[in-house]
Amino acid sequence: MPLPQIALILTGGTIDSVGADRLDLAWYIDNNKRLDDGELVGAVPELATVAEVEQVAFRRLPSHALVDRDWLDLAGLLHGIFERGEADGAVITHGTNTLEETAYFLNLVLKADRPVVLVGSMRPASALGADGYLNLFNAVRVAADPASRGQGVLAVMNDRIYGARDLTKTATFRVEAFQGRDLGPLGFADADGQVRYYHRTVMPHTTATEFDVSGLESLPRVDVVLSHASADGAMIDACVAAGARGIVCAATGAGRPTPAQDEAFDRAGRQGVIMCLSSRVGSGRVVRSPSLRARGFVAADNLQPWKARVLMALALSVTSDPDTIQRMLDTY
């Protein structure tokens, strides 16, 4: 029986970075060096036992340098690969800083049920104890496994399989940096060679969403503003002046901005900007109260602020109606 065909798309990040020496675990970005094309795959010959891996060219950047245009191009690349029947699944290597945002964007816009798995590492390829090689092997295993089909966009880090909506980075240097804080992983790429799923998301994704980015050249501007003690409305006013169509507030507790920020949000609302309240605490829901609805606010449910930004941008590409946007936030 032929092995599954997996497209491997390298977008950069720690996983293919090269430090100054094997103990360069923190400043390797300053070294400004990456593995050559084919070198990452060549270092993991075991990949050939689980799939036929074909590397597909894409720009390689640190993940904190990616912009919306990169996401749109990546979605277009994946659609082309699947529409031409060139792969049974795809693995995307990615920097960990914004891996969860790229994963969630693709989870909302890809119109394919074939597995797409994002993977990264917390240590560079040159490091003593580099984690990227095993992460890559496990990601290919997951993408090649029939049970991954229809699960939405996934991420594999440190043997764990996460759904794109649940995943978040929770540590700066630790290998066990990713969690699904409210719900945990969907399953595991385990030590005995098994890919095991124990639950699946019920939130609509990929082929079941209403978002089509095939004709888009850009996304509406949506900014994120942090709330903290003594925060005023200056940042909110600046976002409006810069052309934001939506603003997400990483608010305190269960979604509380300061009074001065509230005043600025009302000014923004009068100019047609949609305000979304989320929380800075990292876990739990933010809900839309009757008073928020009356003011035209929407609430992010349990999405992290940066993921709410992704969904808000896609929603604003379709509608400016707060009630419709709230339905989308509650659905996806």
Side-chain angles (χ1 to χ4, degrees):
M1 186 173 179
L3 292 173
Q5 294 180 304
I6 301 299
L8 176 63
I9 303 170
L10 274 62
T11 69
T14 297
I15 194 169
D16 65 4
S17 293
V18 176
D21 55 51
R22 295 214 302 164
L23 294 180
D24 182 3
L25 304 178
W27 313 120
Y28 51 88
I29 291 176
D30 294 347
N31 200 42
N32 197 30
K33 185 178 179 182
R34 296 195 177 278
L35 296 177
D36 293 332
D37 284 342
E39 201 171 353
L40 181 62
V41 172
V44 192
E46 295 84 357
L47 291 171
T49 67
V50 293
E52 294 182 14
V53 177
E54 182 72 28
Q55 187 170 325
V56 179
F58 193 78
R59 63 193 70 108
R60 286 201 267 173
L61 297 165
S63 66
H64 49 271
L66 295 174
V67 297
D68 294 351
R69 179 71 258 178
D70 297 309
W71 287 350
L72 293 167
D73 290 346
L74 187 56
L77 177 61
L78 287 164
H79 280 137
I81 290 169
F82 292 146
E83 288 165 6
R84 293 189 297 270
E86 295 173 353
D88 301 303
V91 170
I92 302 168
T93 65
H94 199 288
T96 59
N97 286 346
T98 63
L99 184 151
E100 63 200 84
E101 291 161 78
T102 299
Y104 187 50
F105 172 81
L106 295 174
N107 195 57
L108 292 170
V109 305
L110 282 183
K111 301 308 173 192
D113 66 353
R114 274 167 276 193
V116 174
V117 181
L118 278 78
V119 65
S121 73
M122 295 301 296
R123 296 171 180 162
S126 55
L128 183 66
D131 56 320
Y133 300 114
L134 183 57
N135 283 349
L136 175 62
F137 178 75
N138 284 336
V140 172
R141 273 208 292 150
V142 170
D145 195 286
S148 300
R149 194 174 185 116
Q151 296 267 21
V153 174
L154 304 168
V156 172
M157 293 289 295
N158 202 34
D159 302 344
R160 291 159 174 80
I161 308 168
Y162 292 100
R165 191 185 186 280
D166 304 331
L167 173 77
T168 191
K169 187 176 180 179
T170 60
T172 55
F173 290 125
R174 303 288 82 82
V175 171
E176 192 170 346
F178 282 82
Q179 297 180 26
R181 280 192 165 171
D182 285 338
L183 300 166
L186 301 179
F188 302 91
D190 239 334
D192 62 349
Q194 295 291 309
V195 172
R196 301 285 289 176
Y197 287 96
Y198 292 95
H199 62 92
R200 62 191 301 146
T201 181
V202 299
M203 309 294 277
H205 55 72
T206 55
T207 59
T209 76
E210 59 204 275
F211 303 116
D212 180 2
V213 298
S214 58
L216 294 182
E217 295 294 326
S218 62
L219 295 174
R221 178 173 181 141
V222 178
D223 291 314
V224 178
V225 172
L226 179 67
S227 188
H228 54 83
S230 298
D232 62 19
M235 298 298 293
I236 295 163
D237 292 336
C239 292
V240 175
R245 289 183 53 195
I247 300 173
V248 177
C249 182
T252 60
R256 297 291 183 268
T258 67
Q261 287 179 313
D262 256 338
E263 292 176 5
F265 276 130
D266 284 334
R267 290 195 297 273
R270 289 193 288 272
Q271 298 188 51
V273 179
I274 305 296
M275 290 72 62
C276 177
L277 290 181
S278 65
S279 177
R280 69 182 194 178
V281 304
S283 180
R285 296 175 63 217
V286 175
V287 297
R288 192 190 196 200
S289 67
S291 63
L292 289 177
R293 180 174 181 173
R295 294 167 64 196
F297 280 51
V298 295
D301 194 82
N302 69 342
L303 287 171
Q304 291 93 358
W306 39 96
K307 286 187 180 175
R309 187 199 80 85
V310 174
L311 182 48
M312 284 282 289
L314 289 169
L316 285 163
S317 73
V318 177
T319 181
S320 296
D321 176 58
D323 290 339
T324 303
I325 293 173
Q326 185 63 63
R327 175 186 61 77
M328 294 174 178
L329 286 162
D330 291 339
T331 300
Y332 304 116

